[in-house]
Amino acid sequence: MARVELTAQRGKIEARIGEDTVLFKSSGAESEVGHWPTEYILAALGSCFSGTVFSYARTKGLPLEKVMVALEGEVVSGPSRIASITMEVEFLGNLTRAEKEQLLAVGERACTVMNTLKRGVETIVTRLRD
């Protein structure tokens, strides 16, 4: 189970993730500190993908040294959302082209965030606290 607590006040949005506090921007809350929530979606995708690939490489004994990922998301309105994401990946290490393609396929198949974004969330429940 993943859990985040968030507090939003005019000019400041804070999310508590474990022991860390993360700051977000929002035009609606007039907040200019931190990053846009869409940037965190891209960061979550890249970090999940990279971690998945490293785990697989370790299990298979592949000499993966570094993963470099650049992500861009196209934000559109009607409804407001990220409509498309482009992810460029570079694997560093003494790897063959076939091993790099294998790592890419594993990352695409096993990354939790990528699976969530591609397939959508089945249920989102919102309710008021008393």
Side-chain angles (χ1 to χ4, degrees), residues 66-84:
K66 190 175 192 178
V67 178
M68 307 221 7
V69 182
L71 298 107
E72 289 185 7
E74 180 187 2
V75 179
V76 299
S77 59
S80 179
R81 68 194 184 287
I82 298 174
S84 66

Side-chain angles (χ1 to χ4, degrees), residues 19-49:
E19 297 296 318
D20 298 319
T21 299
V22 178
L23 301 176
F24 288 93
K25 287 183 184 179
S26 170
S27 56
E30 300 173 4
S31 175
E32 289 301 321
V33 179
H35 298 277
W36 296 105
T38 51
E39 293 171 321
Y40 278 90
I41 291 172
L42 298 178
L45 174 57
S47 63
C48 181
F49 180 89

Side-chain angles (χ1 to χ4, degrees), residues 49-113:
F49 180 89
S50 298
T52 299
V53 166
F54 266 110
S55 177
Y56 179 82
R58 183 180 60 245
T59 300
K60 297 298 181 181
L62 297 174
L64 178 62
E65 295 174 17
K66 190 175 192 178
V67 178
M68 307 221 7
V69 182
L71 298 107
E72 289 185 7
E74 180 187 2
V75 179
V76 299
S77 59
S80 179
R81 68 194 184 287
I82 298 174
S84 66
I85 297 172
T86 301
M87 185 167 74
E88 295 180 350
V89 181
E90 183 178 359
F91 299 119
L92 302 177
N94 189 20
L95 299 160
T96 65
R97 178 71 182 187
E99 289 170 331
K100 291 177 181 181
E101 289 174 359
Q102 181 182 14
L103 290 171
L104 189 68
V106 166
E108 289 177 337
R109 182 180 67 246
C111 170
T112 302
V113 175

